[in-house]
């Protein structure tokens, strides 16, 4: 975890955007249009020749996505210098994704009791559990450092993180969720914890517990931050007007513009002493959500094409790069061929029903199908179309699956740089605020479990 160096980040941002601008032709190309638009011909000739050479092994594409590996000894092919240089530049400019400060977690409070650990675990999937455990540890330590007793978990859903912060970290916590059904389910789970607590804890320990409060509120860009703070103080936490009140804001994967909205709440509201936000769904960002920093906004006035990130660019930044890298390196071709099947089907759709281009199809796994024809029939079910009798062209396209995998990998190798731009812009916006005392971008989660593994952590 490194503190934010504003001048360095500005330079890295400008260089990163310049690099991305040179490869817009690759970033902004959908893989499902591979055959429709003949994406292979967009690649430099030296790249095409390398990847179609007889001795080229598709598994070696994994090297391009492994930014922890600097040795070329495992490669049997000589990759083009321009491609190796690009990989090196991405590695140097991108925020590192390797999980930081990996340690055995200690769970204080009620969550540390074996009975309650089991109760917590049975309701939460392993990925979410991993995120909650790390997030709660970081937020608990940050709250102590800032002298904050109250925490607001925005977009908390069923309140799994909320409960760990309340029962494990001993904080007074409010779970803000706009779906009332999730609030009701969250309250039910809270009651389960409290019933267990009454059974296993001493009376004085039970009386000291503060179960979470679930609130049905829609957090949007037009929210009055000061009024929201007053609402939390009096209506949620029941504090008097003269009571001292400060809080922290937590957001575990807030979708689209919600993340930037929370960051702006921290920036505008002096009573918000810390914020911890993990990114999600960058493709759903609007112009209000990116760029955020004054620096990139000014740069965008002079170079709008350079600073702007397309939907396609933001979408590829959300992909599970490490998972795909493992599939490549292990030769799990079934998981790679599905992109070729989808691209081949898209050509059939565009040829016969152009108005259905880029339609959402049913998700079908390669191993579920005995043929390309069977894949197509399952994928288009619900579209109300009848496939042509002859799909031989699609069968031929599927034989080119290695080219599709190569193209997808080349786009994916730029994903860390795109995400780094978005994260750095957010952190830079926070650091532009004179009230911000510290700002970090922390690789808190294992990227193989949680592809969006960085927390933006700032304090006042």
């Amino acid at each position: 975890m490194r503190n934010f160096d504003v001048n360095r980040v500005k330079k890295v941002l400008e260089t990163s955007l310049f690099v991305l601008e040179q490869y817009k032709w690759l970033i902004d190309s959908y893989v499902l249009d591979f055959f429709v638009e003949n994406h292979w011909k967009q690649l430099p000739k030296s790249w095409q020749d390398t990847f179609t050479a007889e001795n080229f092994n598709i598994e070696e594409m994994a090297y391009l996505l492994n930014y922890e590996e600097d040795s070329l000894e495992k490669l049997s092919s000589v990759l083009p210098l321009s491609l190796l240089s690009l990989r090196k530049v991405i590695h140097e400019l991108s925020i590192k994704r390797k999980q930081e400060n990996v340690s055995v977690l200690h769970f204080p409070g009620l969550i540390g009791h074996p009975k309650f650990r089991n109760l917590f675990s049975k309701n939460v999937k392993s990925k979410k559990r991993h995120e909650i455990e790390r997030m709660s540890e970081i937020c608990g330590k940050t709250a102590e450092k800032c002298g904050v007793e109250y925490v607001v978990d925005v977009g908390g859903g069923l309140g799994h993180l909320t409960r760990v912060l309340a029962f494990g970290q001993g904080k007074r916590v409010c779970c803000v969720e706009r779906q009332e059904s999730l609030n009701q389910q969250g309250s039910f789970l809270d009651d389960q914890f409290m019933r267990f607590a009454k059974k296993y804890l001493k009376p004085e320990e039970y009386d000291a517990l503060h179960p979470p409060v679930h609130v049905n509120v829609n957090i949007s860009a037009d929210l009055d931050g000061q009024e929201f703070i007053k609402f939390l103080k009096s209506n949620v936490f029941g504090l008097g007007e003269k009571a001292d009140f400060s809080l922290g804001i937590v957001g575990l994967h807030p979708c689209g513009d919600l993340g930037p909205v929370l960051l702006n709440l921290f920036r505008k509201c002096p009573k918000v002493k810390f914020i911890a936000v993990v990114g999600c769904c960058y493709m759903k960002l609007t112009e209000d959500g990116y760029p955020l920093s004054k620096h990139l906004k000014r740069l965008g006035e002079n170079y709008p094409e350079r600073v702007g990130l397309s939907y396609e660019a933001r979408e590829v930044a959300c992909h599970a790069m490490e998972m795909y890298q493992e599939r490549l390196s292990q030769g799990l071709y079934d998981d790679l061929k599905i992109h070729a099947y989808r691209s081949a089907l898209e050509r059939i759709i565009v040829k016969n029903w152009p108005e259905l281009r880029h339609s959402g199809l049913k998700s079908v796994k390669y191993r579920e199908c005995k043929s390309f024809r069977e894949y197509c029939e399952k994928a288009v079910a619900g579209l109300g179309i009848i496939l042509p009798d002859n799909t031989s062209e699609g069968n031929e396209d599927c034989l080119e699956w290695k080219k599709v995998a190569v193209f997808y990998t080349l786009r994916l190798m730029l994903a860390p740089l795109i995400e780094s731009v978005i994260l750095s812009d957010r952190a830079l916006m926070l650091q532009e605020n004179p009230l911000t005392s510290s700002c970090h971008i922390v690789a808190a989660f294992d990227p193989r479990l949680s592809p969006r593994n960085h927390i933006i952590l700032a304090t006042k």
Side-chain angles (χ1 to χ4, degrees):
M1 181 169 67
R2 182 171 56 189
N3 203 16
F4 212 70
D5 183 335
V6 171
N7 291 328
R8 177 185 176 276
V9 168
K10 286 180 179 179
K11 292 179 181 178
V12 170
L13 268 173
E14 291 175 10
T15 305
S16 300
L17 288 167
F18 175 79
V19 172
L20 292 174
E21 186 178 31
Q22 312 313 305
Y23 290 91
K24 276 186 175 290
W25 57 269
L26 177 59
I27 298 169
D28 293 351
S29 299
Y30 269 134
V31 174
L32 82 163
D33 289 327
F34 184 84
F35 297 112
V36 173
E37 299 183 359
N38 197 3
H39 286 335
W40 187 255
K41 292 299 182 182
Q42 297 183 53
L43 301 183
K45 185 64 165 57
S46 62
W47 296 15
Q48 293 182 43
D49 293 343
T50 297
F51 299 133
T52 54
E54 188 174 340
N55 66 333
F56 178 72
N57 184 353
I58 186 66
E59 293 177 17
E60 295 183 356
M61 290 297 292
Y63 169 77
L64 296 176
L65 303 182
N66 185 2
Y67 290 111
E68 303 302 324
E69 178 63 69
D70 292 324
S71 173
L72 295 177
E73 294 178 1
K74 297 180 181 179
L75 298 181
S76 60
S77 305
V78 178
L79 297 180
L81 182 58
S82 58
L83 184 56
L84 293 175
S85 298
L86 175 60
R87 178 185 179 275
K88 183 66 174 178
V89 167
I90 295 170
H91 174 70
E92 292 297 323
L93 294 176
S94 297
I95 298 168
K96 301 303 177 278
R97 295 176 55 78
K98 185 176 181 180
Q99 185 182 7
E100 302 176 32
N101 302 324
V102 181
S103 60
V104 177
L105 296 176
H106 169 67
F107 295 97
L110 185 59
I111 296 295
H113 192 292
K115 292 287 185 181
F116 298 98
R117 290 287 298 144
N118 294 336
L119 180 60
F120 167 69
S121 298
K122 78 174 186 178
N123 290 315
V124 187
K125 294 181 180 178
S126 58
K127 171 185 178 292
K128 191 77 170 180
R129 189 160 63 243
H130 169 72
E131 294 174 344
I132 288 172
E133 290 170 349
R134 294 291 167 185
M135 187 81 164
S136 62
E137 180 189 39
I138 290 172
C139 292
K141 290 179 178 178
T142 304
E144 291 299 318
K145 176 183 175 182
C146 297
V148 168
E149 181 183 358
Y150 299 90
V151 178
V152 179
D153 178 14
V154 179
L158 295 174
H160 298 309
L161 173 59
T162 305
R163 273 182 290 281
V164 177
L165 290 171
F167 297 130
Q169 299 293 342
K171 301 303 173 187
R172 302 287 300 273
V173 191
C174 170
C175 178
V176 176
E177 172 56 52
R178 68 177 180 178
Q179 296 186 50
E180 184 57 31
S181 60
L182 296 181
N183 284 323
Q184 293 173 0
Q185 293 176 64
S187 295
F188 174 79
L189 294 173
D190 295 345
D191 291 340
Q192 279 190 318
F193 271 81
M194 293 301 288
R195 286 196 297 272
F196 267 79
K198 195 165 189 177
K199 183 176 180 181
Y200 291 103
L201 299 185
K202 297 177 182 178
E204 61 271 21
E205 292 174 329
Y206 177 82
D207 292 338
L209 295 176
H210 296 288
V213 180
H214 295 262
V215 178
N216 180 221
V217 176
N218 182 29
I219 305 294
S220 59
D222 58 0
L223 177 74
D224 187 317
Q226 301 301 333
E227 290 299 319
F228 180 57
I229 300 299
K230 290 180 181 179
F231 167 77
L232 292 171
K233 181 179 179 179
S234 59
N235 294 40
V236 175
F237 294 116
L239 299 177
E241 185 177 340
K242 296 182 179 180
D244 186 30
F245 178 66
S246 61
L247 70 153
I249 290 179
V250 176
L252 182 55
H253 301 309
C255 186
D257 279 350
L258 180 55
V261 167
L262 299 184
L263 295 172
N264 273 308
L265 271 178
F266 171 83
R267 180 176 62 87
K268 295 177 180 178
C269 301
K271 291 295 184 181
V272 181
K273 297 300 182 183
F274 82 85
I275 188 166
V277 171
V278 183
C280 178
C281 301
Y282 302 131
M283 62 281 195
K284 295 182 180 179
L285 290 171
T286 68
E287 292 181 356
D288 294 329
Y290 172 85
L292 291 177
S293 66
K294 294 177 182 177
H295 181 71
L296 276 200
K297 287 180 179 178
R298 285 194 296 266
L299 187 65
E301 292 174 359
N302 296 321
Y303 304 99
E305 290 298 318
R306 180 175 301 175
V307 173
L309 294 174
S310 67
Y311 178 94
E312 294 83 357
R314 289 178 278 116
E315 190 267 343
V316 78
C318 291
H319 287 204
M321 186 179 76
E322 284 79 11
M323 186 181 297
Y324 195 79
Q325 186 264 336
E326 286 185 354
R327 290 171 179 171
L328 278 170
S329 63
Q330 295 171 13
L332 301 177
Y333 297 142
D334 286 359
D335 294 313
L336 309 182
K337 291 179 180 178
I338 200 67
H339 289 295
Y341 272 41
R342 178 64 183 90
S343 302
L345 174 56
E346 184 70 7
R347 172 138 73 171
I348 294 174
I349 290 174
V350 171
K351 182 178 180 180
N352 293 277
W353 306 277
E355 72 280 4
L356 296 179
R357 184 174 184 177
H358 293 180
S359 292
L361 307 184
K362 291 193 174 181
S363 178
V364 183
K365 295 184 182 299
Y366 178 83
R367 63 184 67 89
E368 295 175 352
C369 307
K370 296 179 180 179
S371 65
F372 171 66
R373 177 80 188 193
E374 184 179 355
Y375 165 81
C376 293
E377 290 173 348
K378 290 183 176 181
V380 302
L383 279 187
I385 61 176
I386 300 176
L387 293 168
D389 294 333
N390 186 0
T391 56
S392 59
E393 184 180 33
N395 292 329
E396 293 175 4
D397 285 342
C398 291
L399 297 177
E400 301 287 340
W401 69 267
K402 289 185 179 181
K403 288 184 177 180
V404 179
V406 165
F407 191 83
Y408 182 80
T409 303
L410 294 172
R411 291 187 73 235
L412 203 54
M413 71 180 289
L414 285 153
L417 191 57
I418 301 169
E419 182 173 29
S420 295
V421 166
I422 296 171
L423 294 176
S424 296
D425 170 60
R426 293 179 174 187
L428 184 57
M429 181 270 281
L430 296 179
Q431 201 65 67
E432 288 171 343
N433 180 3
L435 294 178
T436 300
S437 60
S438 70
C439 186
H440 306 275
I441 300 175
V442 188
F445 312 140
D446 181 346
R448 286 168 173 77
L449 289 174
S450 181
R452 309 281 63 75
N453 72 321
H454 292 98
I455 297 176
I456 293 182
L457 182 66
T459 62
K460 290 175 183 167

